[in-house]
Amino acid sequence: MRSFGVGLAAMAALMFAPSVPADPEMPAVVPFCSLCHGETGPSPFIGVPTIHGLPHGVIENALYKYRERRRPCRTTECSQDGRCPDINMCDVVGGMSLEDFHALADWYSAQDFPTHSDPYDPELAAHGRRIHDQYCEICHTNFGSNPIDDASMLRGQRKVYLRNALGDFQQGRRTAGIEAMDARLRTLSDFDLDALAEFFSGPAPKIDVGR
């Protein structure tokens, strides 16, 4: 099992030796992860999430679910033109141990979550905010921007990634393990999901402060 992780690390070392500084605390596979997720974030590819600064449990849980194929094992569009490896996450984690999962979660959760916003349509984002305020803010606080939420960071993720993820929940290809969220997402229209992705990938709104 460990040999696959070592193979990935060797590939990463060859491809990233000039740009990734040596760090004795960094798991050996991190340079390979950087090929798609970026060295410091935000994600350089629109269909790939930013993982730097996500909560430890969110990262570790995602790795478990990919290994069990409980999340879609899609290959990202950037692999089609050679900008990132032609491999999906289920294959990436298939050779990793539980210790690898824990080490990666330790590393990435200790990094800063980088601020980012994609170009957005304010009118569509406003509809997304209404949905968020009604159904999502209870778990994804501060408009999805609280780094200590176990529900994960939504604010500042890439729009295409967000829309794909929301569609996976809507269509039952992915589950949050929280029935209220899973059921709600199944009731939302494609337009609603477009609006949520627009809202979360755009600039953060100001938080209303009571007087």
Side-chain angles (χ1 to χ4, degrees):
M1 294 290 285
R2 296 286 292 180
S3 62
F4 186 78
V6 171
L8 294 181
M11 182 189 303
L14 289 173
M15 299 181 73
F16 266 71
S19 56
V20 175
D23 185 334
E25 300 299 321
M26 183 176 70
V29 75
V30 164
F32 183 81
C33 302
S34 300
L35 292 172
C36 294
H37 294 284
E39 294 178 23
T40 60
S43 168
F45 303 115
I46 60 175
V48 177
T50 296
I51 58 177
H52 301 77
L54 293 185
H56 186 285
V58 169
I59 296 170
E60 201 163 29
N61 184 56
L63 294 171
Y64 285 132
K65 287 189 174 182
Y66 277 123
R67 189 179 68 172
E68 297 169 3
R69 296 185 177 267
R70 291 167 57 197
R71 288 183 62 162
C73 302
R74 62 173 57 89
T75 301
T76 57
E77 293 181 5
C78 61
S79 66
Q80 297 175 6
D81 57 14
R83 290 179 297 150
C84 58
D86 186 14
I87 189 171
N88 65 62
M89 274 299 300
C90 297
D91 292 336
V92 168
V93 304
M96 294 183 186
S97 67
L98 299 183
E99 290 77 12
D100 292 330
F101 289 177
H102 189 75
L104 283 171
D106 274 349
W107 170 262
Y108 278 107
S109 63
Q111 310 305 307
D112 293 329
F113 187 88
T115 57
H116 172 79
S117 63
D118 281 336
Y120 82 117
D121 177 341
E123 185 174 346
L124 184 59
H127 178 62
R129 176 175 177 173
R130 288 190 291 272
I131 297 170
H132 170 82
D133 288 349
Q134 185 173 1
Y135 301 120
C136 311
E137 176 67 20
I138 188 171
C139 294
H140 298 281
T141 60
N142 290 351
F143 306 115
S145 64
N146 193 336
I148 65 173
D149 278 349
D150 286 337
S152 192
M153 294 278 286
L154 301 179
R155 170 72 49 203
Q157 292 286 5
R158 303 303 301 267
K159 187 187 307 183
V160 171
Y161 163 73
L162 286 168
R163 184 59 180 84
N164 286 340
L166 289 166
D168 289 337
F169 284 115
Q170 180 201 49
Q171 297 300 317
R173 294 186 292 266
R174 182 175 168 186
T175 176
I178 301 172
E179 179 54 33
M181 174 179 166
D182 291 332
R184 175 57 58 190
L185 282 166
R186 289 193 294 269
T187 69
L188 297 181
S189 69
D190 288 344
F191 177 74
D192 291 335
L193 301 189
D194 290 343
L196 280 172
E198 202 78 16
F199 171 65
F200 289 125
S201 64
K206 293 182 180 179
I207 298 174
D208 296 328
V209 178
R211 298 189 179 187

